[in-house]
Amino acid sequence: MEFIILRQRRREEKKGMLKVLLVGINSKYIHSNLAIRYLKAFTRELDYEAVLKEYTINDRIENILQDIILSKPDIVAFSCYIWNIDYVSKITELIKRVDKSIEIVYGGPEVSYDSFETMRINKADYVIEGEGEETYREFILYKLGKMSISEIRGIYYRENEDILYKGGRSLMDIESVVFPYEENENMLNKIVYYEASRGCPFNCKYCLSSTVHGVRFLNVERVKKELAFLIKSGVKLIKFVDRTFNCNHEFAMSIWKYLIEQDTETCFHFEISADLLKEKEIALLAKAPKGRFQFEVGVQTTNDKVLKNINRYVNFQDIKDKVIELEKIKNIKQHLDLIAGLPGEDFDSFKNSFNELYSIGPEEIQLGFLKLLKGSSMREEAEKWGMEYSPYPPYEILKSNTMSYNELLELKKAEAMVDKYYNSGKFNNIINFLINKFAAPFDFYMTLGNYFYEKGYFARSISNTEYYKVFKDFHEKFFEGYAAATAMEDIIKYDYLRFNKKRGVPDILRKSITKEEEYKLKRKMQEIINFNDVYVDKFNIDIPKFIKSGEINFTPSYIIFDLRNEDNIIDTIYSI
């Protein structure tokens, strides 16, 4: 009791309200931090000042330090992840050098599984482990002199030279979580994250969700009400952070049906397990407006033996069948993930996984690399699989007994090409022309990645135009023949004009149409087209036929691009 009274006196002596900065350091400006918003919302009625601060890892540390110090906080609470923990540690050191009286709190997945060690090597005064809302609330009550820190579960703290911990905390009732977004918050240019459930029914060895068993769901009607608020706020993209959104059939169906019925341009992103999809769900999803939903499907590998090694008891064929069914309805963008470096998977197995995944034709493919996260059983089994991994965040795999370091480097080159060229969707026709010249899709991306490396493109920034020129040079190096080169140049020019400004087209994509041909075309089309609003060029091959069938036919075509809509083709003329 005397300790609590002393704290009250100190607060009175400062003659000010307790001020806490809740700090999120995001990987990109467009991202937002859900965790710090949860903490503020969960303590909204307490008598203290909570201020949200969001930065990115691209911001200068000196600028972040200045902003924090000039805010004059009593406490700075950081949300810690693998992508920002080094940044947070450096800022903490600088804050303490400027003002030792400012207390530092860490929370988040990166500090929840070795909290004692985090306290030992950093200058944080407190570390909150696991779910933070209830622990943080009690911590604020402690700071307000209303309880003793020794009563709080789930927190590490310093007392003299010792680091103390009074034990863990049980999982909270998810219904007690407070909706974290406020009416006056401008999130128009941000990705907004939303959580309808916590936990995952699966036990994948590389994932931290496997450390918590069971799934807790919010009430469906509450979810609908909160989503209505975000839709009304004009948010463009809402990402559900639920680990496996469709693990509860009725829950998923109810929310999907509600979102399909809304009059909105908002897009909703879900992580799903495709093999769990039922025919009723696919039938419902077929009714969704195009662009309303996008799905992220964690395939990880198509090798069923490797899947079992990571506790994913699913057959790839089941995943493939459902993904193909979704592709057929053509209204949902699908993002499929593979992970390189999984236990038991060698280079040839990963190559096969990529080729099988590529054959499905999803909108995006992500080639990730295994990260042995703190707290994951994969880290505990590292020695069993001969895994060496970086001891520094993000703890990425360096080699295993089935995948060498050099092989992983080769995969990184291919990954960069897939991300830049395939995932952008702006080079599709170029890729389709070239990829058939290789034995398998992976061979194309691997060869292109090595060409990039040899040219030094990975070591410097290259312009948008150069990304197209690469293909011209690449084709010249590996394939001979005037006709093929002419077709390649036409296809490069078409893809460039399809997605880029038509004025100031670079020399390598020079205009082919003559003034006489352009004059004839204008006379023929003058009654239906205002030529001030279009860009016309001549192609040596029948571009529409190539796009439809992949066939190269040397029939000249004149394509009319709409300058008012950069993503639109008005017409193709074959005779003038």
Side-chain angles (χ1 to χ4, degrees):
M1 181 60 71
E2 290 179 2
F3 184 76
I4 294 175
I5 292 172
L6 179 60
R7 282 220 159 262
Q8 286 174 323
R9 284 177 182 167
R10 286 178 179 170
R11 176 58 43 206
E12 289 168 3
E13 287 170 6
K14 288 187 73 172
K15 296 182 180 179
M17 180 177 287
L18 175 70
K19 184 175 184 179
V20 179
L21 300 188
L22 293 162
V23 178
I25 300 178
N26 306 318
S27 58
K28 295 181 181 179
Y29 170 77
I30 197 172
H31 295 166
S32 58
N33 189 291
L34 180 60
I36 60 174
R37 288 172 171 79
Y38 269 145
L39 298 183
K40 181 178 181 181
F42 204 71
T43 54
R44 194 171 287 156
E45 86 288 0
L46 297 185
D47 187 24
Y48 85 113
E49 182 182 2
V51 180
L52 300 181
K53 291 281 189 180
E54 290 190 87
Y55 311 99
T56 79
I57 56 175
N58 298 312
D59 292 331
R60 292 185 61 188
I61 287 180
E62 294 81 0
N63 293 342
I64 297 176
L65 173 67
Q66 174 180 298
D67 190 49
I68 287 174
I69 296 298
L70 294 182
S71 296
K72 297 182 178 179
D74 298 294
I75 300 168
V76 180
F78 288 102
S79 179
C80 303
Y81 301 87
I82 54 174
W83 64 80
N84 71 11
I85 187 62
D86 287 341
Y87 220 69
V88 168
S89 297
K90 291 175 182 176
I91 296 170
T92 298
E93 175 68 29
L94 295 177
I95 290 172
K96 287 295 188 179
R97 286 177 180 242
V98 174
D99 188 345
K100 288 184 173 62
S101 71
I102 297 175
E103 293 191 303
I104 306 294
V105 182
Y106 286 178
E110 179 54 20
V111 298
S112 286
Y113 299 94
D114 65 345
S115 303
F116 183 90
E117 182 66 9
T118 298
M119 291 276 286
R120 190 185 68 79
I121 64 176
N122 290 281
K123 291 189 176 179
D125 299 286
Y126 309 91
V127 172
I128 293 174
E129 68 173 6
E131 289 182 308
E133 290 93 344
E134 291 180 336
T135 303
Y136 175 74
R137 179 185 175 82
E138 291 181 5
F139 171 73
I140 295 301
L141 290 173
Y142 152 66
K143 283 297 176 181
L144 295 175
K146 300 190 178 193
M147 65 184 298
S148 169
I149 193 167
S150 62
E151 301 176 64
I152 305 175
R153 296 277 183 170
I155 192 168
Y156 288 75
Y157 62 97
R158 299 183 191 276
E159 191 170 284
N160 299 320
E161 299 299 318
D162 297 323
I163 298 172
L164 302 181
Y165 173 66
K166 299 299 181 179
R169 181 184 291 276
S170 300
L171 295 178
M172 65 189 297
D173 175 5
I174 192 173
E175 280 296 334
S176 68
V177 171
V178 179
F179 181 62
Y181 297 102
E182 301 176 355
E183 290 207 20
N184 60 351
E185 189 171 3
N186 183 2
M187 300 294 289
L188 291 180
N189 297 316
K190 298 278 190 177
I191 296 173
V192 170
Y193 296 92
Y194 182 80
E195 183 178 49
S197 65
R198 287 185 180 179
C200 182
F202 304 113
N203 192 35
C204 303
K205 291 181 180 180
Y206 54 82
C207 182
L208 290 183
S209 293
S210 64
T211 62
V212 179
H213 300 289
V215 186
R216 293 160 288 158
F217 298 89
L218 288 176
N219 178 275
V220 169
E221 296 308 313
R222 170 181 169 173
V223 173
K224 293 176 184 178
K225 182 179 178 181
E226 292 174 351
L227 291 174
F229 172 88
L230 293 175
I231 291 170
K232 186 178 179 182
S233 299
V235 174
K236 298 301 181 186
L237 176 61
I238 297 174
K239 277 196 170 186
F240 280 70
V241 298
D242 306 55
R243 301 310 302 166
T244 307
F245 181 78
N246 63 321
C247 65
N248 182 314
H249 172 69
E250 298 299 330
F251 184 80
M253 283 280 285
S254 180
I255 293 173
W256 282 338
K257 182 176 184 297
Y258 172 77
L259 295 177
I260 287 170
E261 293 170 349
Q262 301 310 299
D263 180 16
T264 180
E265 296 299 316
T266 302
C267 176
F268 301 88
H269 178 103
F270 301 92
E271 291 185 34
I272 69 162
S273 188
D275 57 294
L276 297 182
L277 286 171
K278 300 178 183 293
E279 292 306 318
K280 283 185 178 180
E281 290 173 319
I282 294 175
L284 172 65
L285 292 168
K287 300 176 183 178
K290 187 172 183 179
R292 180 65 51 87
F293 298 145
Q294 57 188 36
F295 287 166
E296 182 173 344
V297 181
V299 178
Q300 320 314 7
T301 177
T302 67
N303 185 322
D304 292 335
K305 182 180 178 180
V306 176
L307 285 170
K308 288 183 174 61
N309 289 343
I310 56 173
N311 281 353
R312 281 178 64 86
Y313 297 102
V314 60
N315 186 286
F316 169 68
Q317 189 60 47
D318 294 335
I319 297 174
K320 181 177 179 179
D321 291 343
K322 295 300 172 63
V323 168
I324 289 174
E325 282 192 66
L326 287 175
E327 283 292 317
K328 287 178 181 177
I329 63 179
K330 297 184 182 302
N331 63 343
I332 297 174
K333 179 179 178 181
Q334 293 192 83
H335 171 118
L336 272 55
D337 295 339
L338 289 174
I339 297 179
L342 292 174
E345 181 147 70
D346 60 19
F347 190 85
D348 287 338
S349 173
F350 186 87
K351 175 180 176 178
N352 184 65
S353 289
F354 178 86
N355 289 332
E356 287 196 79
L357 203 67
Y358 198 90
S359 70
I360 299 173
E363 285 77 8
E364 291 184 359
I365 297 174
Q366 179 175 322
L367 307 186
F369 292 81
L370 180 65
K371 294 169 180 57
L372 286 85
L373 303 175
K374 294 176 182 178
S376 69
S377 59
M378 193 75 267
R379 179 179 279 213
E380 295 173 4
E381 292 187 5
E383 186 176 348
K384 173 183 176 181
W385 301 104
M387 290 179 175
E388 291 289 347
Y389 61 93
S390 170
Y392 313 112
Y395 315 114
E396 191 167 281
I397 185 80
L398 295 172
K399 65 178 183 177
S400 72
N401 56 15
T402 53
M403 187 85 75
S404 71
Y405 175 71
N406 287 340
E407 286 173 328
L408 286 167
L409 288 183
E410 292 295 294
L411 294 182
K412 283 184 179 290
K413 295 174 192 174
E415 181 273 332
M417 298 299 93
V418 171
D419 188 54
K420 175 59 191 179
Y421 285 116
Y422 182 87
N423 290 344
S424 75
K426 296 181 179 181
F427 304 86
N428 290 351
N429 296 302
I430 301 171
I431 291 171
N432 290 340
F433 178 76
L434 285 171
I435 207 164
N436 291 326
K437 299 178 183 291
F438 292 83
F442 182 85
D443 298 332
F444 163 66
Y445 288 103
M446 189 76 268
T447 306
L448 183 62
N450 280 318
Y451 179 76
F452 240 70
Y453 179 77
E454 291 165 7
K455 288 291 184 179
Y457 293 139
F458 285 124
R460 67 177 180 88
S461 297
I462 66 175
S463 68
N464 182 56
T465 301
E466 283 181 291
Y467 275 110
Y468 289 87
K469 184 178 182 298
V470 163
F471 283 117
K472 184 175 182 294
D473 298 339
F474 177 79
H475 187 269
E476 287 176 359
K477 177 176 179 177
F478 290 98
F479 307 102
E480 295 181 357
Y482 173 78
T486 300
M488 179 80 271
E489 289 181 15
D490 268 10
I491 294 166
I492 292 173
K493 181 166 68 172
Y494 174 80
D495 272 359
Y496 180 92
L497 293 173
R498 187 83 165 83
F499 296 104
N500 294 275
K501 292 181 179 180
K502 315 301 183 288
R503 304 301 188 196
V505 174
D507 290 341
I508 62 165
L509 305 173
R510 60 188 176 278
K511 205 167 186 179
S512 301
I513 191 170
T514 66
K515 289 189 176 181
E516 182 181 358
E517 289 171 319
E518 196 164 1
Y519 175 73
K520 288 180 180 179
L521 192 60
K522 285 183 178 181
R523 288 193 62 185
K524 181 175 182 176
M525 306 292 291
Q526 61 185 351
E527 293 184 5
I528 57 175
I529 293 176
N530 180 351
F531 272 78
N532 291 324
D533 296 329
V534 301
Y535 181 92
V536 183
D537 206 352
K538 179 183 179 180
F539 295 82
N540 295 295
I541 66 171
D542 186 343
I543 291 289
K545 187 168 188 177
F546 169 74
I547 293 171
K548 185 176 181 180
S549 66
E551 181 180 344
I552 298 295
N553 188 330
F554 280 86
T555 300
S557 58
Y558 302 87
I559 299 181
I560 304 172
F561 298 88
D562 189 348
L563 291 175
R564 298 164 301 177
N565 182 350
E566 296 289 348
D567 192 28
N568 189 38
I569 307 295
I570 292 179
D571 204 353
T572 302
I573 309 297
Y574 292 97
S575 174
I576 57 173

